[in-house]
Amino acid sequence: LRGVIDHPYLFSGCQYWPTGWDEDEVWNEKYPAWRDRTDRQLLKGYADDGSVYVGDYESHQGSEYWPCIIIKPEDDAGSFTVRILQSPFEDAQQWASNNLPRFLTNYPRESIHFFVRKGAGDQYLPDVFRHSIGIPDDIFPARWKNLAN
């Protein structure tokens, strides 16, 4: 619950948008020693129900995906405990400003998406084969070549 693993090529994004609970007084505590608390204490103090964040990548809106860490699967198949990280594209949330963790339990799998980091796709690998593939015109029927008509 305490660590952040920084993968060199991928990052996980979770659909998230601030709710009323993001303005709760629990987030006003500045720089507490939350890393010293037990897992149960962390989830009791800093976790919210994530089942409201239902969606899929095809229907998402703009910057709904925030960086997240998948902590563990829940008892029922298809939901997880996740830790939401501050989005670099949104205003800083109180929990992020005060260095507090933001957990969501019962978070649905369909709301998690894995993204390739900028500049980390296969097309950026050194010594990748890059050559135009020429296709001879005579393999296509004349009816397909009607741009002049």
Side-chain angles (χ1 to χ4, degrees), residues 4-26:
V4 175
I5 298 172
D6 192 23
H7 191 279
Y9 308 114
L10 302 173
F11 72 92
S12 52
C14 294
Q15 276 195 339
Y16 178 77
W17 49 88
T19 64
W21 199 62
D22 288 286
E23 298 175 15
D24 192 273
E25 64 186 38
V26 70

Side-chain angles (χ1 to χ4, degrees), residues 7-10 115-131:
H7 191 279
Y9 308 114
L10 302 173
F115 296 91
V116 176
R117 290 186 182 274
K118 181 180 178 183
D122 289 346
Q123 68 269 30
Y124 297 103
L125 292 172
D127 303 320
V128 173
F129 177 75
R130 293 183 183 93
H131 180 61

Side-chain angles (χ1 to χ4, degrees), residues 13-17 50-61 64-65 78 106-113:
C14 294
Q15 276 195 339
Y16 178 77
W17 49 88
S51 63
V52 299
Y53 299 96
V54 177
D56 57 27
Y57 183 74
E58 288 78 24
S59 63
H60 80 283
Q61 302 265 327
E64 285 180 3
Y65 278 91
N106 302 314
Y107 192 84
R109 166 61 187 103
E110 59 267 16
S111 296
I112 300 171
H113 187 76

Side-chain angles (χ1 to χ4, degrees), residues 77-99:
S79 64
F80 296 84
T81 296
V82 298
R83 179 178 171 194
I84 302 294
L85 303 174
Q86 176 63 51
S87 171
F89 307 110
E90 299 290 334
D91 293 336
Q93 296 296 307
Q94 189 67 32
W95 47 265
S97 297
N98 289 336
N99 196 29

